[in-house]
Amino acid sequence: MLEEFIHITEKANKPKEHSQQLPQPNPLQQYKEEHHKVLCINSNLAVDLPETDGLIMEPNVHPSQWMTYDGGQENDTDDRIFFHETSGHSDLSLRQCCAVESAARHNPDRPIQLFMRSPATCISDNSPSSLHSPSWLKVLSRYSNVAAVLLNEERYFAGTPLEDWYSKGVWRTSRFQIGHLSDYIRILSLYKGGGLYLDMDILTLRAFKGAMFRNCLVYENDAMDTIGNSVLHLERGHRLTSELIQLLSEEYDPEAYVYHGPDAIAEIMNRICKLVAGNPKSNECDNVRLLSHRHFHPVPAMFSHMLFQSNGNLSDVETLFHIKESFGLHLWNSISLREPMNVDNPNQIVAIIARQHCPLTVSRAADFKSL
């Protein structure tokens, strides 16, 4: 919620010194006034605010009957794979659903958690006939290892080193508030329970097996000078998580777009692991693995559009080979979001991949408002 500055000036016939400025509204207080009693599920449905970190969503079950979730419990293991959807739209696009399904499909022995942010506003409707069964939830509920959790966000941050950052609400005034919340909450989840975090535009192509996917960071380019935060695995209690939490709690700039993500990781890795950009061998932390960009970013961001071309650039054998050898495919939504995914196109690369790795999502493609 953007902070509003209200200036009241007295009528012109009154002395200037009588002009006054009202106190600036507190973003968190405004938020609490709107959300103090209910947890919004969508714009037309809400439930009583739970005294837990969230509710586990189930299709065709009234939300009042959803099971509760508390972060940091014993079932939040280092083996889990988790996602955060922070827009508050109460919905997933076809791409996002495909990302979660592909992770669940290729890793059936690992718990998959999708954390959904509650919408900003809603009408409180608790009638027994009110159900929440969107297509994405029906698809993901077909996988027994998937849990979609509607977060009680304030409770999730409470009692953690990031509680003050969240409760002061300065981040709500930033034009990058969704991105900043995403940067913070993924690290908070690693702090609470560890696990493998994936951005919602990462399609899983193979199972994540072996030691290489434990306590790992991933380079975003072949120059190995940029470590991204779209793929992260850290065990619960890892020093890197603690250092990141401390940095994020102490330094916040609402005008900085990437500082709280990749830049924060680079700063910590340089300080505690002596890592030099472009030189992975300089890493002195034997409990942090650095993976090549080819594991999840086989197609550079600047060429992401080729994944959505109708002819698919199928003649680009080298790129297709890199995708085939990769464990995941980053779609770079920040650049390619307006590129349509046509699941029926026999030549569109991303459509070919989707049909193979998220077939249930593809089968209901027509139900998704956003591709």
Side-chain angles (χ1 to χ4, degrees):
M1 181 182 299
L2 295 176
E3 186 176 10
E4 297 179 358
F5 294 89
I6 306 174
H7 184 269
I8 305 297
T9 305
E10 297 294 329
K11 294 182 179 180
N13 62 344
K14 291 188 177 182
K16 186 175 181 179
E17 58 268 23
H18 286 184
S19 298
Q20 57 181 316
Q21 185 170 349
L22 295 179
Q24 299 175 11
N26 183 313
L28 179 66
Q29 185 61 36
Q30 293 178 349
Y31 179 81
K32 283 183 174 180
E33 289 174 357
E34 298 173 3
H35 297 75
H36 68 290
K37 291 183 178 180
V38 299
L39 184 66
C40 294
I41 298 170
N42 57 35
S43 60
N44 299 310
L45 182 61
V47 292
D48 293 338
L49 193 67
E51 297 182 357
T52 60
D53 286 347
L55 299 172
I56 300 176
M57 308 170 75
E58 295 183 57
N60 303 317
V61 175
H62 191 270
S64 63
Q65 302 301 314
W66 288 349
M67 296 178 62
T68 59
Y69 166 82
D70 263 323
Q73 295 178 331
E74 291 183 0
N75 58 348
D76 285 349
T77 69
D78 299 329
D79 287 333
R80 69 170 174 165
I81 299 171
F82 67 93
F83 301 81
H84 277 283
E85 206 297 310
T86 55
S87 71
H89 291 158
S90 74
D91 203 2
L92 295 187
S93 67
L94 186 146
R95 295 189 196 191
Q96 291 174 320
C97 190
C98 183
V100 181
E101 181 188 353
S102 62
R105 183 179 177 82
H106 287 290
N107 299 275
D109 56 340
R110 300 179 68 164
I112 312 294
Q113 293 175 329
L114 167 63
F115 295 107
M116 299 288 292
R117 188 184 188 195
S118 176
T121 58
C122 59
I123 299 172
S124 181
D125 182 0
N126 292 314
S127 62
S129 61
S130 298
L131 298 177
H132 184 63
S133 300
S135 293
W136 65 264
L137 187 55
K138 291 178 180 178
V139 167
L140 298 181
S141 67
R142 298 278 297 277
Y143 292 87
S144 61
N145 59 330
V146 175
V149 180
L150 183 65
L151 279 181
N152 178 359
E153 207 168 81
E154 185 177 340
R155 175 70 157 66
Y156 195 67
F157 277 86
T160 74
L162 297 183
E163 179 181 10
D164 193 50
W165 173 84
Y166 183 86
S167 62
K168 284 184 176 179
V170 175
W171 60 276
R172 296 183 188 279
T173 71
S174 171
R175 54 183 170 150
F176 308 122
Q177 63 164 294
I178 293 177
H180 288 174
L181 175 62
S182 179
D183 288 338
Y184 271 67
I185 203 167
R186 73 187 66 180
I187 302 301
L188 178 61
S189 291
L190 287 173
Y191 173 83
K192 280 174 167 281
L196 175 64
Y197 167 81
L198 297 177
D199 265 358
M200 298 209 66
D201 57 352
I202 301 283
L203 304 187
T204 299
L205 308 181
R206 299 160 66 183
F208 305 132
K209 293 185 179 296
M212 77 168 75
F213 294 111
R214 295 193 68 82
N215 296 322
C216 66
L217 306 176
V218 183
Y219 283 109
E220 287 193 342
N221 54 26
D222 56 5
M224 295 187 176
D225 57 6
T226 303
I227 295 175
N229 68 339
S230 58
V231 181
L232 304 164
H233 183 279
L234 292 170
E235 297 173 349
R236 189 198 304 240
H238 196 284
R239 181 186 175 188
L240 184 57
T241 305
S242 300
E243 295 283 347
L244 282 167
I245 282 281
Q246 182 176 349
L247 177 66
L248 294 178
S249 66
E250 295 175 352
E251 301 185 26
Y252 177 65
D253 182 354
E255 293 302 314
Y257 179 55
V258 298
Y259 174 71
H260 314 94
D263 286 359
I265 292 175
E267 180 176 327
I268 296 298
M269 286 298 294
N270 176 261
R271 174 156 55 85
I272 69 174
C273 302
K274 310 304 179 187
L275 180 67
V276 177
N279 182 15
K281 292 184 179 180
S282 63
N283 176 28
E284 296 182 3
C285 292
D286 57 7
N287 63 345
V288 179
R289 293 179 178 84
L290 301 176
L291 303 184
S292 163
H293 71 287
R294 288 200 171 101
H295 284 79
F296 291 92
H297 314 297
V299 177
M302 66 179 68
F303 297 119
S304 59
H305 64 278
M306 63 167 284
L307 296 171
F308 299 88
Q309 292 178 348
S310 58
N311 61 11
N313 279 348
L314 297 180
S315 60
D316 188 347
V317 177
E318 182 178 0
T319 297
L320 293 176
F321 175 78
H322 289 323
I323 294 175
K324 183 179 179 180
E325 294 299 306
S326 182
F327 285 83
L329 177 62
H330 195 175
L331 300 184
W332 303 102
N333 274 1
S334 60
I335 299 174
S336 69
L337 190 58
R338 296 186 182 277
E339 301 283 351
M341 181 190 292
N342 184 356
V343 296
D344 296 321
N345 189 318
N347 297 317
Q348 188 185 53
I349 291 177
V350 70
I352 295 172
I353 292 172
R355 288 194 293 270
Q356 179 179 354
H357 299 283
C358 57
L360 297 185
T361 299
V362 168
S363 70
R364 304 190 68 134
D367 296 341
F368 289 84
K369 297 178 182 178
S370 175
L371 302 180

